[in-house]
């Protein structure tokens, strides 16, 4: 810092002012950046027709359990009526720390509001964000989110159908009750999340989220229910255990049966990218593991349909990379895991799988590569290593808990620290 030469009282005053302004600027540059909202949990929803018209026929409470990946000083949630064809009335929402069997810790219970109001009407196709509540939560806490839905017409449900998490539907408005009514009083368990999109926490400026974007292998098929043993869960715990990456949460945006280029179970990856990735809070990184279903169905020996080539899939994946980069998100490509022995496997499809994997490894389009294929394959058979394909004995497509852990352990955490 250059100090001006002082030649008079006036110049002394000017010098003092300049020094004060200079020190103020220096102090401002070192001021801590403000906390911000970061996703700590999320799910990817799909459309399910309420064909029997029973969902919404009576007043119900949905108590849904979510396992967050990053702690913070305040919490807010996001609800979705994305696939609804009518407005959805949510009469009340409560959030609390979860206990066993759907119970909540009453001292932690908070009524959530929307613009200061206890209830909200969500237009068809829309998402809404709650007002925040000051609740300090730690990483890997189970939260219970209770929604009261008064009786109403619901033609289409916005739902994540494979939660691998026990959730609860109870009669009436019991959002504030510690325990739900007994099963013989009408409470039932489900393995879905309804009308729920995300949970955000207020976290320091350096915190961020990693989106795991994919199909059933990311979603958690074949992992143990209520155990949080999907590969994104294992990754979240690894990130938290390393002080260099402990500021990152992991959001599981997998959908079983999803494809890159065609709708099926949910919109295609290209079609859902904005809602399921860009709309999340604080996303810094995305891991893409998708296209095995495109390949499997295109080259199914029994019933091939929606035929695509390796070049088609590479073009689709490249579009995801370009769109993510537009929003400052780094993208890591994960190689496709083995599918030898799966019902829709074929030699032609295996050729395409290998071609896509070769491009992921060598194409230099992704910001980094995660080799899930190498971490799980038995090089002799071309199928999953035997220990990753049990019990069942396994469907040769979805790894078990051990396989999920091996996938997560194969990820180089330096990917999340390199500039």
């Amino acid at each position: 810092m250059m100090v001006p030469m002082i030649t008079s009282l006036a110049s002394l005053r000017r010098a003092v002012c300049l020094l004060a302004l200079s020190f103020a600027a220096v102090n401002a540059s070192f001021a801590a950046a403000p906390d911000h909202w970061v996703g700590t949990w999320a799910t990817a929803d799909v459309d399910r027709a309420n064909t029997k018209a029973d969902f919404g026929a009576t007043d119900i409470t949905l108590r849904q359990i979510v396992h967050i990946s990053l702690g913070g000083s305040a919490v807010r949630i996001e609800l979705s009526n994305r696939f609804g064809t009518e407005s959805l009335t949510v009469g009340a929402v409560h959030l609390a720390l979860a206990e066993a069997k759907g119970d909540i810790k009453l001292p932690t219970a908070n009524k959530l509001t929307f613009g200061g109001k206890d209830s909200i009407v969500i237009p068809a196709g829309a998402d809404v964000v709650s007002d925040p509540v000051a609740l300090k939560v730690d990483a890997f806490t189970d939260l219970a989110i209770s929604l009261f839905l008064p009786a109403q017409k619901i033609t289409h449900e916005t739902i994540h159908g494979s939660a691998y998490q026990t959730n609860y539907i109870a009669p009436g408005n019991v959002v504030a009750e510690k325990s739900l009514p007994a099963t013989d009083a009408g409470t039932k368990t489900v393995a879905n999340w309804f009308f729920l999109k995300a949970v955000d926490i207020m976290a320091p400026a350096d915190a961020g989220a990693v989106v795991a974007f994919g199909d059933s292998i990311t979603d958690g098929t074949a992992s143990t229910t209520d155990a949080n043993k999907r590969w994104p869960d294992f990754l979240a715990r690894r990130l938290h255990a390393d002080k260099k990456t402990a500021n990152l949460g992991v959001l599981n945006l997998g959908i079983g049966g999803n494809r890159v280029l065609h709708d099926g179970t949910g919109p295609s990856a290209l079609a859902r990218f904005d809602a399921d990735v860009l709309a999340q809070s604080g996303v810094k990184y995305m891991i893409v593991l998708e296209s095995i279903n495109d390949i499997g169905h295109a080259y199914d020996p029994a019933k091939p349909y929606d035929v695509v080539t390796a070049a088609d899939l590479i073009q689709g994946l490249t579009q995801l990379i370009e769109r993510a980069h537009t929003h400052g998100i780094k993208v890591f490509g994960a190689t496709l895991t083995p599918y030898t022995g799966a019902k829709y496997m074929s030699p032609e499809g295996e050729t395409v799988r290998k071609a896509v994997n070769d491009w992921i490894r060598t194409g230099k389009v992704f910001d980094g590569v995660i080799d899930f294929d190498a971490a799980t394959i038995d090089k002799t058979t071309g199928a999953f290593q035997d220990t990753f394909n049990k019990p069942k004995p396994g469907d040769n497509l979805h790894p078990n808990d051990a396989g999920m852990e091996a996938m997560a352990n194969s990820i180089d955490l330096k990917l999340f620290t390199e500039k």
Side-chain angles (χ1 to χ4, degrees):
M1 185 187 303
M2 182 173 288
V3 179
M5 185 177 292
I6 300 170
T7 59
S8 67
L9 182 60
S11 63
L12 176 60
R13 292 193 180 110
R14 286 195 297 272
V16 171
C17 289
L18 286 170
L19 286 170
L21 290 171
S22 297
F23 283 120
V26 171
N27 288 336
S29 69
F30 286 103
D35 290 357
H36 66 142
W37 290 110
V38 176
T40 185
W41 177 91
T43 194
D45 292 318
V46 301
D47 178 14
R48 187 171 79 175
N50 187 17
T51 52
K52 296 181 180 179
D54 53 355
F55 201 85
T58 60
D59 293 355
I60 60 168
T61 292
L62 300 173
R63 181 162 290 175
Q64 306 181 84
I65 312 301
V66 303
H67 186 69
I68 66 173
S69 59
L70 187 67
S73 59
V75 185
R76 70 180 186 184
I77 70 167
E78 300 180 39
L79 302 179
S80 180
N81 190 27
R82 180 182 175 195
F83 298 102
T85 51
E86 306 90 16
S87 295
L88 177 74
T89 299
V90 180
V93 183
H94 276 228
L95 178 145
L97 300 185
E99 292 186 328
K101 298 181 179 179
D103 285 2
I104 61 173
K105 295 182 180 179
L106 283 180
T108 69
N110 286 268
K111 176 176 67 175
L112 296 184
T113 58
F114 299 83
K117 296 181 179 180
D118 294 350
S119 63
I120 189 167
V121 177
I122 309 175
D127 301 331
V128 296
V129 181
S130 76
D131 301 329
V133 293
L135 176 66
K136 187 180 183 304
V137 291
D138 295 325
F140 313 120
T141 296
D142 284 346
L143 299 179
I145 300 169
S146 301
L147 313 181
F148 168 54
L149 301 183
Q152 59 192 292
K153 182 180 180 180
I154 299 176
T155 305
H156 288 266
E157 304 158 15
T158 299
I159 181 176
H160 186 91
S162 301
Y164 305 103
Q165 171 65 57
T166 302
N167 297 305
Y168 305 86
I169 302 178
N173 181 359
V174 290
V175 294
E177 298 298 321
K178 176 178 175 61
S179 301
L180 298 173
T183 53
D184 57 7
T187 295
K188 61 181 181 180
T189 59
V190 291
N192 313 314
W193 286 300
F194 296 91
F195 310 111
L196 193 56
K197 180 178 180 181
V199 179
D200 298 338
I201 50 91
M202 185 62 70
D206 64 347
V210 180
V211 166
F213 193 59
D215 48 42
S216 56
I217 298 169
T218 296
D219 197 20
T221 298
S223 67
T224 302
T225 296
D226 295 333
N228 303 303
K229 291 189 175 182
R230 314 162 190 87
W231 72 257
D233 296 317
F234 284 110
L235 172 60
R237 291 190 280 272
R238 286 192 65 213
L239 289 170
H240 186 73
D242 188 321
K243 64 181 181 180
K244 294 180 180 178
T245 56
N247 60 344
L248 294 173
V250 179
L251 310 179
N252 188 332
L253 278 305
I255 298 177
N258 201 234
R259 293 182 287 173
V260 175
L261 298 175
H262 292 90
D263 293 351
T265 307
S268 70
L270 288 170
R272 70 187 181 94
F273 181 78
D274 286 37
D276 288 347
V277 179
L278 299 185
Q280 306 299 334
S281 299
V283 176
K284 291 186 176 182
Y285 307 98
M286 177 173 72
I287 300 170
V288 178
L289 174 62
E290 186 141 22
S291 67
I292 196 65
N293 288 316
D294 298 76
I295 295 168
H297 293 306
Y299 298 94
D300 188 332
K303 187 182 64 176
Y305 64 94
D306 292 338
V307 175
V308 295
T309 65
D312 294 331
L313 293 170
I314 289 168
Q315 184 181 58
L317 292 169
T318 301
Q319 285 295 311
L320 293 177
I321 298 167
E322 293 296 331
R323 294 174 67 189
H325 284 172
T326 299
H327 294 268
I329 299 170
K330 284 189 174 184
V331 187
F332 306 134
T335 55
L336 305 177
T337 47
Y339 86 135
T340 294
K343 287 183 178 180
Y344 60 20
M345 186 269 177
S346 68
E348 296 81 7
E350 177 65 358
T351 298
V352 175
R353 187 188 76 90
K354 288 180 177 179
V356 172
N357 278 353
D358 287 344
W359 170 76
I360 292 171
R361 292 184 180 111
T362 65
K364 297 182 180 179
V365 180
F366 288 97
D367 297 297
V369 174
I370 296 168
D371 205 341
F372 284 159
D373 179 48
T376 57
I377 195 169
D378 182 324
K379 293 182 180 179
T380 301
T381 64
F384 274 116
Q385 296 177 39
D386 188 57
T387 54
F388 301 155
N389 200 33
K390 296 177 179 179
K392 279 192 182 180
D395 63 4
N396 300 297
L397 181 64
H398 301 101
N400 58 17
D401 293 351
M404 293 283 185
E405 186 172 14
M407 290 169 66
N409 287 344
S410 74
I411 300 173
D412 186 353
L413 298 190
K414 291 180 181 178
L415 289 171
F416 307 101
T417 59
E418 294 175 348
K419 302 299 182 183

